[in-house]
Amino acid sequence: MHDVAELAGVSIKTVSNVVNGYPHIRPATRARVEDAIAQLGYQVNISARNLRQGRTGMIGLAVPELSLPYFAELADSVIRAAEGAGLTVLIEQTSAVRERELEVLSGQRRHLTDGLIFSPLDLGPEDTDSFAVDFPMVLLGERVFGAPADHVTMNNVEAARAATQHLIDLGRRRIAVIGAHEGESIGSAALRVRGYREALEAAGLPFDPALIGEAGLWHRSTGAEAMHRMLDSGVEVDAVFALNDALALGALHVLHARRVAVPEQIAVIGFDDIDDAAYSSPTLSTVSPGREEIARTAVELLVARIAGGSEALPYQQVVADYSIVVRESTAGVGAAPLVAGLSGSGGA
Amino acid sequence: MHDVAELAGVSIKTVSNVVNGYPHIRPATRARVEDAIAQLGYQVNISARNLRQGRTGMIGLAVPELSLPYFAELADSVIRAAEGAGLTVLIEQTSAVRERELEVLSGQRRHLTDGLIFSPLDLGPEDTDSFAVDFPMVLLGERVFGAPADHVTMNNVEAARAATQHLIDLGRRRIAVIGAHEGESIGSAALRVRGYREALEAAGLPFDPALIGEAGLWHRSTGAEAMHRMLDSGVEVDAVFALNDALALGALHVLHARRVAVPEQIAVIGFDDIDDAAYSSPTLSTVSPGREEIARTAVELLVARIAGGSEALPYQQVVADYSIVVRESTAGVGAAPLVAGLSGSGGA
């Protein structure tokens, strides 16, 4: 380690920080240290280090449902980010069941791992106290804000406004939403509908409740059902903002089956940029919510929290950048894939 | 428990077997016991039972890649099956890396769980010795046969033959394969290509190596690339058997982009019946390999193995039933979804 520090021209502490995966190291410094490590063939004995520090070398990841492509791809991204820090990820599925989400927080299983990345889907603001846990934890998602934990989230309102604005820019005026959750004031659905309404308002377009399509879980099947109901209602529609890609793919399926031309008659945009969005027919325009960045940041924050003890650092909230990915379902066949409207606000 | 046995008219041992999730209980008996349990409000205290028996109440599931929809959906099915037995599932991703697959078997993490369901993708027949572990384990997949462990698999050769036969029945004669792994003699690719060749041979059709499209990992992207190469080669093709659905969806994407009519010019069938197959445009004909049955059987075998100790029972090999699901990509638009050719061979 001394040799690495000398060769890289940094302190031993810096080498240690890089090796232990601390965030907030300047990329150039990190690169110098990593080069020196590679040149000298320096190897961290992860198992020995864990043993010495009373750690397991494992972190937990609790997500609602792996059959939702967004969470399967998020898990994959977290696993890859954790690998870089020498950590194995154990994944738990909560099925968005309240009891199981509380179990994840109860700590009964937490001695197995050094820390937890947790994306709740049923717990809400009234459960903030339950999030005061005595182990390192990073929260994901839009259900709980202000909990005593690091939190990585996406800019739902602004991204939804940008997605809606993209449809308005194409001249669409009768923009339906698919995937709303009536009566909910928190969570992704509420935030994305808020962004949609803000975009309408900014463009001077009226808000029409008949254009709001409800859906329960955000699957292809529920998206298909909501699209059918919307078309059957006879309401005039020239665009659809589906609150996630699975819903959008279900809607595309119905539009295809009912011989509605996409995007000529109805343009469609989703949210998530799952792998499938680039391969559907037509390919799906969508919001890329920065999944890789969310996963990487969550792992970095958790690693710092594990290293620093649970009270050492102030809690951070990081908002990932998003972008609008324009594909055939809004721009038409033959359109080159285009990433537009890059925006977002990082920081604590 | 005594009351339950009396009400159900069975022995206490039978109640215990049902409660502990043993397989091989007659469905009618299981239903009677479950009814009695419901009537009497009998509750198993799972945590107390686990503690008494020195168990954790958790099982491990190790799969190659969660971003492959088949494995994400398999994980979901295993989790739901395990729930019924009061077990929590901890999932590990091996990324099909040999070292990580050996780590899964090494037992270093195995004290965390009562047993393991393991789907290897890199280890092979030469590693049979590594599978002789001292904890309860059930193997999935087509890489390793004859290992000292329970094994649940699908009937790859027969199912692939049926998929190919479906294309032949439609009058197709120039059937391409997408997803082959040249030089491999084991694993899903080799077995499915064998089934394809058997179907050609049975129909008196020649085998043409120019119709075999290679692909590395079975993703949409690799399927798209293989389809491009096949079309660019100028070889005559009137049907595609993609060795999994992700490859098939990538191929459909390319056929759509290149204005090739599916199924009129080229019919396409996949393998796996992932959720997406029912929602693509056109919807995808495919082989349903009995994923739910595989998951349920794997959990049942593992539960029995945990209960019985690792040497109590002879090792079992179970082959799940499969079926051919006919959708638009072979039958054309307007075709009603049809499940045909139900077959398979269960048993030890």
Side-chain angles (χ1 to χ4, degrees):
Chain A
M1 207 139 152
H2 184 264
D3 297 339
V4 172
E6 200 169 82
L7 182 60
V10 299
S11 69
I12 289 181
K13 175 97 190 87
T14 302
V15 176
S16 163
N17 286 348
V18 170
V19 166
N20 285 293
Y22 283 68
H24 313 308
I25 296 169
R26 287 195 306 123
T29 307
R30 189 186 293 275
R32 274 220 308 286
V33 172
E34 285 170 353
D35 283 355
I37 287 172
Q39 272 183 53
L40 294 170
Y42 169 71
Q43 274 221 337
V44 193
N45 187 327
I46 289 170
S47 297
R49 192 181 67 200
N50 286 334
L51 216 58
R52 208 168 54 237
Q53 301 176 333
R55 293 190 194 145
T56 65
M58 290 185 285
I59 59 174
L61 170 67
V63 294
E65 230 186 320
L66 290 167
S67 64
L68 286 171
Y70 176 76
F71 289 111
E73 294 182 13
L74 178 70
D76 190 71
S77 299
V78 168
I79 287 164
R80 286 174 202 283
E83 258 173 37
L87 293 168
T88 300
V89 181
L90 293 181
I91 303 165
E92 296 174 65
Q93 173 167 301
T94 63
S95 305
V97 170
R98 180 179 175 75
E99 197 176 52
R100 216 146 327 130
E101 292 194 342
L102 285 171
E103 219 176 281
V104 162
L105 290 171
S106 77
Q108 212 188 346
R109 282 199 289 282
R110 293 279 72 86
H111 64 282
L112 305 178
T113 56
D114 301 331
L116 172 69
I117 298 174
F118 181 25
S119 179
L121 199 62
D122 189 74
L123 297 182
E126 70 283 7
D127 302 298
T128 306
D129 289 351
S130 302
F131 290 93
V133 294
D134 60 356
F135 51 82
M137 177 171 72
V138 175
L139 285 178
L140 303 181
E142 285 67 54
R143 298 283 308 174
V144 179
F145 290 94
D150 295 316
H151 188 180
V152 186
T153 184
M154 50 179 82
N155 203 330
N156 278 283
V157 177
E158 206 183 297
R161 197 167 56 208
T164 311
Q165 186 60 47
H166 170 62
L167 298 171
I168 294 170
D169 290 344
L170 295 171
R172 308 298 164 129
R173 293 295 175 266
R174 299 286 302 165
I175 303 169
V177 165
I178 284 197
H181 290 162
E182 202 188 353
E184 276 189 21
S185 59
I186 62 156
S188 305
L191 295 171
R192 292 176 193 174
V193 170
R194 191 194 303 165
Y196 160 81
R197 295 189 67 158
E198 287 183 10
L200 292 187
E201 199 175 323
L205 292 174
F207 170 73
D208 181 353
L211 287 170
I212 304 299
E214 300 286 324
L217 282 175
W218 286 353
H219 289 278
R220 290 182 182 86
S221 56
T222 52
E225 288 156 17
M227 191 73 247
H228 269 306
R229 281 196 306 272
M230 182 73 65
L231 294 175
D232 291 342
S233 76
V235 65
E236 189 198 338
V237 177
D238 60 16
V240 167
F241 172 30
L243 299 188
N244 86 348
D245 285 350
L247 293 165
L249 292 166
L252 281 184
H253 171 70
V254 167
L255 293 169
H256 172 78
R258 295 176 69 148
R259 310 270 195 281
V260 177
V262 176
E264 293 78 5
Q265 292 171 269
I266 297 183
V268 177
I269 192 164
F271 199 115
D272 280 348
D273 198 21
I274 61 174
D275 187 46
D276 199 9
Y279 290 96
S280 58
S281 303
T283 55
L284 180 65
S285 298
T286 187
V287 175
S288 170
R291 194 184 68 239
E292 293 289 334
E293 185 193 345
I294 289 170
R296 200 179 53 243
T297 308
V299 170
E300 282 177 1
L301 288 172
L302 190 61
V303 164
R305 187 66 55 189
I306 292 168
S310 49
E311 283 137 57
L313 305 161
Y315 295 118
Q316 293 197 52
Q317 184 178 334
V318 179
V319 181
D321 287 345
Y322 69 89
S323 56
I324 303 292
V325 183
V326 178
R327 298 201 183 95
E328 294 169 357
S329 67
T330 59
V333 174
L338 176 75
V339 177
L342 187 71
S343 180
S345 54
Chain B
M1 207 138 152
H2 184 264
D3 298 339
V4 171
E6 200 167 83
L7 182 59
V10 301
S11 69
I12 291 183
K13 176 96 190 85
T14 301
V15 176
S16 162
N17 286 347
V18 170
V19 166
N20 286 293
Y22 283 66
H24 312 308
I25 296 167
R26 287 195 307 124
T29 307
R30 187 186 296 275
R32 273 218 311 284
V33 171
E34 285 170 353
D35 282 355
I37 288 172
Q39 273 184 53
L40 294 170
Y42 168 71
Q43 273 220 339
V44 193
N45 186 326
I46 289 169
S47 296
R49 193 181 68 199
N50 286 333
L51 215 59
R52 210 169 51 236
Q53 301 176 333
R55 294 190 192 145
T56 65
M58 290 186 285
I59 59 172
L61 170 67
V63 294
E65 230 185 322
L66 289 166
S67 63
L68 286 171
Y70 176 76
F71 288 111
E73 295 182 14
L74 178 69
D76 190 70
S77 299
V78 167
I79 287 164
R80 287 173 203 283
E83 257 173 38
L87 293 167
T88 300
V89 181
L90 293 180
I91 302 165
E92 297 174 63
Q93 172 166 301
T94 62
S95 306
V97 171
R98 179 180 175 75
E99 198 175 52
R100 217 148 325 131
E101 292 195 341
L102 286 171
E103 219 174 282
V104 162
L105 290 172
S106 77
Q108 211 187 345
R109 283 199 288 282
R110 294 279 72 86
H111 64 283
L112 306 178
T113 55
D114 300 332
L116 173 70
I117 298 175
F118 180 26
S119 179
L121 200 63
D122 190 73
L123 297 181
E126 70 283 8
D127 300 298
T128 306
D129 289 351
S130 302
F131 290 94
V133 294
D134 59 357
F135 51 83
M137 177 171 72
V138 174
L139 286 177
L140 303 181
E142 286 66 54
R143 298 283 307 174
V144 179
F145 289 93
D150 295 316
H151 188 182
V152 186
T153 184
M154 51 179 82
N155 202 330
N156 278 283
V157 176
E158 206 183 299
R161 198 169 54 208
T164 311
Q165 186 61 47
H166 171 60
L167 298 170
I168 294 170
D169 290 344
L170 296 171
R172 307 299 164 128
R173 292 295 174 267
R174 299 286 303 165
I175 303 169
V177 164
I178 285 197
H181 290 162
E182 200 188 355
E184 275 189 21
S185 58
I186 60 155
S188 305
L191 294 172
R192 292 176 193 176
V193 170
R194 192 195 304 166
Y196 161 81
R197 295 189 66 160
E198 287 183 9
L200 293 188
E201 199 176 322
L205 292 173
F207 170 73
D208 180 354
L211 287 170
I212 303 300
E214 300 286 324
L217 282 174
W218 286 352
H219 290 279
R220 290 182 182 84
S221 56
T222 51
E225 289 157 16
M227 190 73 247
H228 269 307
R229 282 196 306 273
M230 181 74 64
L231 294 175
D232 291 342
S233 76
V235 65
E236 189 198 339
V237 178
D238 60 16
V240 167
F241 172 32
L243 300 188
N244 85 347
D245 286 349
L247 292 165
L249 293 164
L252 281 183
H253 172 70
V254 167
L255 293 169
H256 173 77
R258 294 176 70 149
R259 310 269 196 282
V260 177
V262 176
E264 294 78 4
Q265 291 172 271
I266 297 184
V268 177
I269 191 164
F271 200 115
D272 279 349
D273 198 21
I274 62 174
D275 187 46
D276 200 9
Y279 291 97
S280 58
S281 303
T283 55
L284 181 64
S285 297
T286 186
V287 175
S288 170
R291 195 186 66 240
E292 293 290 335
E293 184 193 346
I294 289 171
R296 199 178 55 245
T297 307
V299 170
E300 283 178 1
L301 288 172
L302 189 61
V303 165
R305 187 66 58 190
I306 291 169
S310 50
E311 282 138 58
L313 305 162
Y315 295 118
Q316 292 196 52
Q317 184 177 333
V318 179
V319 181
D321 286 346
Y322 68 89
S323 56
I324 302 292
V325 183
V326 178
R327 298 199 184 94
E328 293 170 357
S329 68
T330 58
V333 174
L338 177 73
V339 176
L342 187 71
S343 182
S345 54

